[in-house]
Amino acid sequence: MSDRPHVTLEDVARSAEVSLATASRALNGTTRVRDDLRERVLSAAAELAYTPNAHAQALAGGSRRTVGVICHDISDPYFAAITRGVMRVADSHGLLVMLAGTFADPDRELACVSTLRAQRASAILLTGSAFEDRAWERRMAAELEPYRRGGGRVAVVTRHRSLKADTVAPDNRGGARALVEAMHGLGHRRFAVVTGPTRLTTVADRVAGFREGLAGLGIELSERDVFAGSFDRDGGYEATKALLAAKHKATCVLTASDVMAVGAVSALGAAGLSVPEDVSVTGFDDVPLVRDFGLTTVGLPLERIGAEALELALDDAGGGGARGRVRRVSGEVLLRGSTAKPRRRRRG
Amino acid sequence: MSDRPHVTLEDVARSAEVSLATASRALNGTTRVRDDLRERVLSAAAELAYTPNAHAQALAGGSRRTVGVICHDISDPYFAAITRGVMRVADSHGLLVMLAGTFADPDRELACVSTLRAQRASAILLTGSAFEDRAWERRMAAELEPYRRGGGRVAVVTRHRSLKADTVAPDNRGGARALVEAMHGLGHRRFAVVTGPTRLTTVADRVAGFREGLAGLGIELSERDVFAGSFDRDGGYEATKALLAAKHKATCVLTASDVMAVGAVSALGAAGLSVPEDVSVTGFDDVPLVRDFGLTTVGLPLERIGAEALELALDDAGGGGARGRVRRVSGEVLLRGSTAKPRRRRRG
DNA sequence: CTGTTAGCGCATTCAT
DNA sequence: ATGAATGCGCTAACAG
C-alpha cells in the first residue's frame, strides 16, 4: 500500500519482481510471457488495484481508446437515440465515448472539435445538423483537416456538401415529400409548417421536402404558412401559438420533428383544439417514447444511424485515403392517430 | 506544413523561434512572457493549427479535463436529462464529459469505473441506481477507493448506503408515498404496481414508498399486486400485459417511472382500456416530453440533480477528506390527466 | 522469453 | 523573462 497518488506499472513490476517490460507484456498479452511470471504480474496488479494510465498509454503510441460524439443536446431524444447506437458499437470495440454538447451553437461546435482533437479521439462524429453558413463550413473543414492528417477519422450525420467526410444521410427531403403526399392522400389541402431555424440543414431539407411535395401536388407553400421557432419542444409550442394567433386555416400542421410536434400538439390542446379531430399534426423521426402517443411521422432508424456512423468512421476499408463515402438511409411514413381526414370546411 | 502526424508544441516553438518552455508558457498564460514573443507563438500555433496533446498535458501533471458519467442507458430520458445537467456544468468548467453506458449490468458498471479511472477522469459520477447486492457494493467500493486516493472525486445519484460518496438523493420513497396518498384522496382503493427489477435501489425505494403509503392508509400491497418487468418502456408494457392477463382489478396502476408508464398506457390501450376513464396510471420523474401527455407523476428536477452531482464532486469544500455529503432532493406530486376518480365498481 | 532503453508531448523545475 | 533539462507512465524497439 504505497501512499503515492497512483499505482504505476512500475509498482506492479517491482511487486511482481519482474521488469517493467515484462509487466507490460503480461498485462497486454501482446507477447508470450512465461506463465508463472504472468501469474505473478496479474496478481500483483490485482493486489494493488492497478489501472493503467490511459494518457501514458496513448502518449506512448499505444491505444486510442476514445471516440468523440458531438451533438446539439443529449436530452433531445433524437440525439439520445443516435448516441445510444454509437455507444453500442463503441462498447463492442472497447472504446469510450466522449460526449460534447453544442446547444446548436456553431462556435461551440468548432470548439468541441478542437477539444476532441486535443484528446486524440480516434474518431469524431458530428451528429448534429450542419449550419448553412459558408464561413462556418470553411472553419470546420480547417479544424478537421489537421485532425485527419493525424490519423483521426471523421463521420457526420446529415450534412455537409463541402466536408467530404464519411456520411450517414437520412433522406429528410424524400421523407418529407412522402409524408406530404400521404397527407394529401388523406384529403388535406391546407397546410402549415412548424419548423426550426432553417440555417440547420436538417430543418432546411425537411422544409424543402415539404415544399417540393406540396408543389408536386399543385399546392404552394407561402412564407405565411411557415412558422419557425427553436428546434425543440418549446419551439414547436411557440411556433404553433403564432400559427394560431395568425388564424391560419391549415387542416394539417407539418412539423420538422417529433419533438416539435409534441410542443405543437400541446399548444393546440391549450387552445382548445383537439388532434386529429380539429387539426392533424405530423412529426418527423419516430423517436422512442413519442411513438407511443400515436404521432404520424417519418420513421428514421436513429440508433442504427448512430451505429453506422461510428462503423463508417472506424472502418478502414475506405483506406485512410478515399473518404467521403455516403450511406443513405431512407425514412418511412408511419400513419398513426395524430392525423385523420380533414373535416369538411366549416363554412363554405 | 510538416508531414508528421501531429503538430507538436516543439513545432510551434521552432516556428516561432523560441524555446519549448516559452511556447508552453505563452500558450498557457501561466507566466509572463514578453509580448512580442507571445504574439509570435500564438500566431505560429494558429498557423500550424496546433492543438495541445491532452494526453501529454495530463501526463506531465497538468490538467485533468474530463469527467466521467456512468449511466444505464442514455436513450432513457431520465438519464438524458441528468446528463444534460452534468454537461452544462462540465461545460462551464471547461470539462469534457466521457459517457459510459452500462445497460444496467452490474459488471459493466464496474468495468466502466475502471475505464474512467484509467482515463484519469477528474470525477466519476454514478448516475444509475445502485444494485442491491452486497458483493457488488464491496467490489464497487474497492474500485473507487484507489481512484479517490489518486485524487479522483466521486459522486452518486440515488444510492449506496455503503459507498459514502457525495450523494444527490431524490426522495423516491417520500415521493412515492405522497403520490399514493394523492391517489387515495382521489378515491382509489385498489392498486397495482408496475415496476422494474427491485435489485435497483431506485425501484426498490419507490416500491417501498408505495407500500408504506398504502399501509398508512390501511391498504396492503400483496405480492400479487406487483408486476415487474425491465426498467424501461417495454418492461412497462409487458408488466401491464401480465397485470391484464391476471385480471387484476386495480383502479389505479402505479408505475415505477414515466418511461414504464408510457408502456403501461400503451398496453392498456392495446387492450381496449382507456386512461383515465377505465384505469388511472401514474408515472415517476416527470421527464420532459412525456410531460406533455398529461401523465400524473412525481416531478424530480432531473437536470438540476445532474448539475448538483457534478458540482458536489468538483467542490473541494468537503476537503478531499470528509466526503459523503448528501444533498436531498424532494419530489413533487403532479396531478394530471392520466388519473381521475375511479368509476364506481362495476358490479357490487 | 526477458530486461534495458529510448522516446511519446508537455509542464516545470532549475539555472541563467 | 527565458532556455535547458527532468520526468510524468507507458509501449516498442533493441539487445541479451
Side-chain angles (χ1 to χ4, degrees), chain B residues 239-258:
Chain B
T240 303
K241 264 183 34 183
L243 177 155
L244 256 12
K247 301 198 186 308
H248 197 285
K249 301 189 299 297
T251 61
C252 179
V253 175
L254 306 163
T255 75
S257 75
D258 282 5

Side-chain angles (χ1 to χ4, degrees), chain A residues 35-325:
Chain A
D35 283 10
D36 60 320
L37 289 190
R38 207 197 31 236
E39 281 313 313
R40 259 160 47 198
V41 172
L42 260 34
S43 69
E47 197 74 40
L48 300 171
Y50 168 72
T51 301
N53 183 326
H55 295 304
Q57 293 187 165
L59 193 55
S63 52
R64 279 160 94 70
R65 319 210 65 44
T66 59
V67 296
V69 173
I70 300 181
C71 69
H72 289 349
D73 177 3
I74 194 61
S75 75
D76 180 327
Y78 171 84
F79 291 112
I82 289 179
T83 301
R84 183 186 215 258
V86 173
M87 290 182 74
R88 262 204 352 245
V89 352
D91 193 67
S92 79
H93 287 249
L95 296 168
L96 190 59
V97 170
M98 309 210 280
L99 186 62
T102 66
F103 299 93
D105 174 348
D107 289 329
R108 282 254 265 279
E109 183 138 354
L110 255 0
C112 287
V113 172
S114 174
T115 304
L116 259 12
R117 201 144 86 76
Q119 298 288 338
R120 298 299 185 264
S122 58
I124 293 180
L125 270 33
L126 267 29
T127 66
S129 167
F131 300 93
E132 306 259 294
D133 176 337
R134 223 62 191 162
W136 179 84
E137 280 188 7
R138 204 164 18 252
R139 289 166 64 201
M140 180 54 91
E143 191 71 42
L144 254 20
E145 199 263 352
Y147 172 67
R148 279 164 155 145
R149 283 225 314 265
R153 276 85 177 66
V154 179
V156 304
V157 174
T158 309
R159 13 176 104 199
H160 295 152
R161 26 203 138 287
S162 67
L163 224 45
K164 80 167 192 304
D166 288 335
T167 300
V168 178
D171 184 15
N172 287 315
R173 197 179 279 245
R177 247 179 350 234
L179 181 61
V180 161
E181 282 154 16
M183 292 304 102
H184 187 270
L186 235 40
H188 291 280
R189 296 296 178 269
R190 312 180 80 92
F191 294 85
V193 171
V194 161
T195 175
T198 48
R199 59 173 192 155
L200 296 174
T201 57
T202 300
V203 172
D205 288 351
R206 292 178 182 181
V207 174
F210 291 148
R211 183 164 272 131
E212 282 174 21
L214 253 16
L217 298 164
I219 298 175
E220 191 179 348
L221 200 66
S222 89
E223 279 318 306
R224 285 176 294 102
D225 301 320
V226 178
F227 299 84
S230 53
F231 195 30
D232 53 25
R233 183 265 176 209
D234 290 348
Y237 190 91
E238 295 303 330
T240 304
K241 266 183 33 183
L243 177 154
L244 256 14
K247 300 198 188 306
H248 196 285
K249 300 190 299 300
T251 60
C252 179
V253 175
L254 306 163
T255 76
S257 75
D258 282 4
V259 173
M260 290 197 81
V262 169
V265 170
S266 279
L268 258 10
L273 295 174
S274 47
V275 175
E277 290 76 12
D278 296 313
V279 52
S280 287
V281 175
T282 67
F284 211 113
D285 291 330
D286 191 34
V287 298
L289 294 177
V290 175
R291 182 179 303 158
D292 282 279
F293 293 96
L295 190 63
T296 286
T297 192
V298 176
L300 250 27
L302 266 12
E303 215 174 308
R304 188 149 60 74
I305 286 173
E308 281 194 13
L310 182 51
E311 278 163 1
L312 217 45
L314 257 26
D315 174 22
D316 259 328
R323 298 257 123 193
R325 293 168 287 178

Side-chain angles (χ1 to χ4, degrees), chain B residues 8-9 24 28 50 53 56-57 60:
Chain B
T8 73
L9 183 57
S24 172
N28 296 314
Y50 168 72
N53 183 326
Q57 289 183 315

Side-chain angles (χ1 to χ4, degrees), chain A residues 8-9 20 24 28 50 57:
Chain A
T8 74
L9 184 57
L20 216 118
S24 172
N28 297 314
Y50 168 72
Q57 293 187 165

Side-chain angles (χ1 to χ4, degrees), chain B residues 75-238:
Chain B
S75 76
D76 181 327
Y78 171 84
F79 291 111
I82 289 179
T83 302
R84 184 186 214 256
V86 173
M87 290 183 74
R88 263 204 352 244
V89 353
D91 193 68
S92 78
H93 287 249
L95 296 168
L96 190 59
V97 171
M98 308 210 278
L99 187 61
T102 66
F103 299 93
D105 174 347
D107 289 329
R108 281 253 265 279
E109 183 138 353
L110 255 358
C112 287
V113 172
S114 174
T115 304
L116 258 13
R117 200 145 86 78
Q119 298 288 339
R120 298 299 185 263
S122 57
I124 294 180
L125 269 33
L126 268 30
T127 67
S129 167
F131 300 94
E132 305 259 291
D133 176 338
R134 224 62 190 164
W136 179 84
E137 279 187 8
R138 203 164 17 250
R139 289 166 66 201
M140 179 55 92
E143 191 72 41
L144 254 21
E145 198 263 354
Y147 172 67
R148 279 164 155 145
R149 282 226 312 264
R153 274 87 177 65
V154 178
V156 304
V157 174
T158 307
R159 13 176 105 201
H160 293 156
R161 26 201 138 287
S162 67
L163 224 47
K164 79 169 196 298
D166 287 335
T167 299
V168 179
D171 183 15
N172 287 313
R173 198 179 277 246
R177 245 178 352 234
L179 181 61
V180 161
E181 282 156 14
M183 291 304 103
H184 186 269
L186 235 41
H188 291 281
R189 296 297 178 267
R190 312 179 80 91
F191 294 85
V193 171
V194 162
T195 175
T198 48
R199 57 174 194 156
L200 296 174
T201 57
T202 300
V203 171
D205 288 351
R206 291 178 183 181
V207 173
F210 290 148
R211 182 164 273 131
E212 282 173 21
L214 252 16
L217 298 163
I219 298 175
E220 191 179 348
L221 199 66
S222 88
E223 280 316 307
R224 285 176 294 103
D225 300 320
V226 178
F227 299 85
S230 54
F231 196 28
D232 53 25
R233 183 264 175 211
D234 290 349
Y237 190 91
E238 295 304 329

